[in-house]
Amino acid sequence: MTKKLVVLICVFILLYGCSVVMSKKPVGDKPVVLDPAGWDGAWTTPQGAPVMMKVKDGDQGVLRLAWIEDDKDMTFKSYDVIILGSGRWQFANIQDEVKKGEQPRGYLFAKIKKEKDIILIWLPNVEKISELVKKKILPGEAAKESVILGELGPEHMKIIMSEEKGILFDWESPFFFIKARE
């Protein structure tokens, strides 16, 4: 697995051919205030892929992630992550990569939890959420390889954050970042 793929999986950027859950708008009710002292700096994945994080707008919950895309020509890649809260949960949202001439489809999202120098990320369960969309319990569209959630109201957020309709996140296999010691 290349560094690029590890980082992209960890920040849940859309890889063509992968099953994903997206939302037309960022998931969560309000911005999480980000303290640069806790977020800024170098982070790594367990595989050793380095990622730099910098709070771009702490009051709006916007974090910039950057990494080396290609070791050979030292190409850098960066994305803005919007961190929103809903109740006691926090969600990281990244706008879908857009092909030239196309409109963005929405935002990739995941449940996120930061504890000191560790960031845990749980991806949505595509099959379970697709099932709820097909049953019209959650708004949106379910295709073979992706689910795009529509406008999420408080009643939908309650379903997403509870286990009343099943476990909707991959609790067994979280991705995580560890902050590098200075």
Side-chain angles (χ1 to χ4, degrees):
M1 189 175 288
T2 66
K3 284 184 187 179
K4 174 183 172 185
L5 183 57
V6 170
V7 172
L8 291 177
I9 288 171
C10 289
V11 295
F12 47 89
I13 300 299
L14 178 61
L15 295 174
Y16 297 97
C18 291
S19 297
V20 296
V21 177
M22 300 175 65
S23 179
K24 291 189 178 191
K25 293 184 176 180
V27 174
D29 301 326
K30 61 184 178 190
V32 172
V33 176
L34 305 178
D35 177 10
W39 291 89
D40 288 0
W43 295 75
T44 61
T45 66
Q47 295 81 7
V51 177
M52 295 301 295
M53 294 188 194
K54 177 95 173 131
V55 172
K56 185 174 176 182
D57 184 339
D59 293 336
Q60 293 302 309
V62 181
L63 182 66
R64 166 80 39 101
L65 273 62
W67 63 91
I68 296 173
E69 178 83 0
D70 186 339
D71 287 333
K72 287 183 181 178
D73 64 5
M74 296 299 287
T75 306
F76 288 89
K77 188 89 171 183
S78 69
Y79 282 92
D80 287 345
V81 179
I82 302 167
I83 302 178
L84 300 177
S86 188
R88 296 176 59 185
W89 282 35
Q90 295 179 353
F91 297 93
N93 298 272
I94 296 178
Q95 191 167 32
D96 180 26
E97 278 192 323
V98 182
K99 290 182 180 178
K100 194 171 186 172
E102 291 184 5
Q103 293 290 93
R105 294 186 303 166
Y107 291 83
L108 297 154
F109 71 95
K111 182 184 184 323
I112 184 172
K113 184 174 184 179
K114 181 179 177 303
E115 291 187 5
K116 295 189 182 188
D117 293 343
I118 297 176
I119 299 171
L120 295 162
I121 300 168
W122 293 273
L123 297 175
N125 183 312
V126 178
E127 290 177 21
K128 301 266 178 145
I129 292 178
S130 177
E131 185 179 306
L132 294 178
V133 168
K134 288 175 182 174
K135 291 179 178 177
K136 305 226 182 283
I137 294 169
L138 292 175
E141 304 163 15
K144 186 176 182 179
E145 293 295 325
S146 64
V147 177
I148 301 175
L149 295 173
E151 187 78 31
L152 299 173
E155 69 278 13
H156 304 119
M157 291 304 296
K158 181 181 177 209
I159 292 167
I160 289 171
M161 296 185 305
S162 72
E163 293 181 359
E164 74 181 53
K165 298 290 183 186
I167 299 170
L168 302 183
F169 288 86
D170 184 3
W171 297 129
E172 298 291 322
S173 305
F175 295 105
F176 60 94
F177 291 104
I178 301 168
K179 192 168 190 180
R181 302 257 183 231
E182 296 178 5

